[in-house]
Amino acid sequence: MPRYRLKFLLQEFDLPRGEILIGRAPDCHVTIEDPLISRHHAKIVVSDERACVADLQSRNGSRLNGERLRAEAVLKDGDRIRLGAQELLFYQVTEAGRKARPTGFMAVCRACDTPYPQGAADCPHCGTPTGDDTRGRCQRCGQVTEAHETKCGQCGARIEREDDTISGITLEPRSNWTLQLLTEVIDKALALGRLPEAERVMNRAARELDERLESKAGVEIKHVAALCDYAMRVAEAGGGPRWAAWTLSVFRRLDRVPPPLLAARIASFARSGGDAIAIEVDRFLEDTRRKGGTLTTEEVESLTTLQAAARR
């Protein structure tokens, strides 16, 4: 009889015969701490002849090899299952007697800040000896925490260190489709009039982009532009001027001038949005003046709009 295995990040485990539930709930067989994953998100059913995957009417849906999963599908070796912002690899075991790698807590390398399975002698990414490095990452804000800490020093959230889940921490993937998925969720929440949910996901998306800009990681400008548009939509739906200030800060850090239409939307908050947006507009204009260079007609139009708002 064929044997199947599921791989998630640096962890993998055997799939027994029967039904395997995947989601955020602790009663799932595979528990993944990700706010974009439903409590009972999907299931894999393994029989003597085959394995099938099905979405359990999750809020954000499931994808199989990039395609939306609308009905139960038979899994093949090498298939990729995407749930929320996470991707799992399904494959058939061919070698006999291979021992499954245990699941459990993920530590964070002190040298390269990359997650790895706790218990490894060296970081599999940079080779640094791990020693007693048992740092984790806060599930709410992503802040790296030390082994002795029970609360996150940044947001105050309680640090969970459970060994009975596939991942004891929330990991932020660094691929562009993460931003794309987050914008899809924000769009859906705004369409349904769920501003608090849209802001919650927007916070995560902004943190993801901020970290990537700070680390100089590659990011496609089309995803940045889409995310900034949704940030302004959240601001205009009642989220307030802080999202307008954040949007302008993104363009400042990218050394770019926002297009005229977006500049006008930002300026509408700058005229009456308080100190935060006013400070960011002044900083943006000062940085632009200091760098100098030749501007296009559209860039001049955008700067003129922001300057007019700053003078009010």
Side-chain angles (χ1 to χ4, degrees):
M1 293 186 296
R3 289 176 53 214
Y4 305 109
R5 188 166 288 167
L6 201 62
K7 184 175 183 179
F8 174 64
L9 298 172
L10 302 177
Q11 310 252 10
E12 57 185 79
F13 59 95
D14 285 318
L15 294 176
R17 296 296 185 271
E19 184 176 277
I20 298 96
L21 286 177
I22 308 174
R24 285 190 297 108
D27 61 338
C28 289
H29 300 90
V30 179
T31 302
I32 303 177
E33 297 290 349
D34 187 319
L36 298 180
I37 293 180
S38 300
R39 288 180 56 79
H40 296 144
H41 195 106
K43 68 177 180 180
I44 295 177
V45 180
V46 179
S47 65
D48 289 341
E49 296 81 21
R50 64 182 186 177
C52 298
V53 62
D55 183 76
L56 297 178
Q57 298 182 334
S58 61
R59 175 177 294 183
N60 297 316
S62 306
R63 292 180 181 271
L64 180 61
N65 299 321
E67 298 294 326
R68 186 67 177 257
L69 191 61
R70 303 188 183 280
E72 185 176 87
V74 177
L75 289 167
K76 305 182 299 297
D77 184 50
D79 277 350
R80 296 185 176 275
I81 306 167
R82 188 197 300 178
L83 311 179
Q86 313 296 344
E87 190 169 74
L88 302 91
L89 174 67
F90 171 88
Y91 65 96
Q92 184 171 336
V93 179
T94 55
E95 68 271 35
R98 181 179 176 186
K99 189 176 181 179
R101 293 165 61 184
T103 63
F105 185 68
M106 300 285 285
V108 180
C109 176
R110 62 167 63 90
C112 67
D113 197 37
T114 304
Y116 64 87
Q118 182 176 325
D122 301 305
C123 173
H125 301 276
C126 69
T128 301
T130 61
D132 59 353
D133 190 358
T134 55
R135 296 186 303 163
R137 193 182 296 274
C138 175
Q139 296 179 8
R140 177 185 295 175
C141 70
Q143 175 73 15
V144 172
T145 60
E146 301 299 333
H148 65 277
E149 293 180 307
T150 59
K151 286 188 177 182
C152 174
Q154 180 164 299
C155 69
R158 180 172 177 269
I159 303 300
E160 300 288 347
R161 302 187 186 278
E162 300 172 339
D163 290 333
D164 58 351
T165 64
I166 189 172
S167 174
I169 58 176
T170 298
L171 300 173
E172 303 287 347
R174 298 300 183 196
S175 49
N176 281 298
W177 57 257
T178 304
L179 294 178
Q180 182 179 357
L181 175 63
L182 291 170
T183 55
E184 291 175 2
V185 177
I186 295 167
D187 182 60
K188 183 186 295 185
L190 289 173
L192 295 173
R194 298 173 179 170
L195 180 60
E197 181 179 341
E199 281 204 277
R200 177 177 59 82
V201 182
M202 189 66 232
N203 276 314
R204 173 176 177 176
R207 185 173 68 249
E208 167 79 11
L209 182 57
D210 288 343
E211 290 179 355
R212 293 173 69 176
L213 292 178
E214 183 178 350
S215 64
K216 308 298 183 183
V219 59
E220 292 185 23
I221 191 63
K222 67 178 182 180
H223 294 305
V224 175
L227 189 57
C228 287
D229 176 68
Y230 280 108
M232 291 305 301
R233 287 179 57 183
V234 170
E236 292 158 352
R242 73 185 184 98
W243 289 116
W246 177 83
T247 298
L248 191 56
S249 78
V250 170
F251 281 87
R252 176 174 55 79
R253 286 175 284 170
L254 288 172
D255 292 329
R256 289 174 175 262
V257 177
L261 182 58
L262 184 59
R265 295 166 71 186
I266 295 171
S268 67
F269 284 94
R271 296 187 185 100
S272 58
D275 292 340
I277 179 65
I279 291 172
E280 187 55 50
V281 170
D282 289 342
R283 183 183 301 173
F284 177 84
L285 293 173
E286 177 61 29
D287 283 359
T288 304
R289 282 192 293 267
R290 186 173 61 253
K291 290 167 186 171
T294 304
L295 299 175
T296 66
T297 302
E298 286 194 347
E299 289 174 337
V300 171
E301 181 182 347
S302 296
L303 291 173
T304 301
T305 300
L306 293 171
Q307 286 171 342
R311 287 196 295 266
R312 290 176 178 265

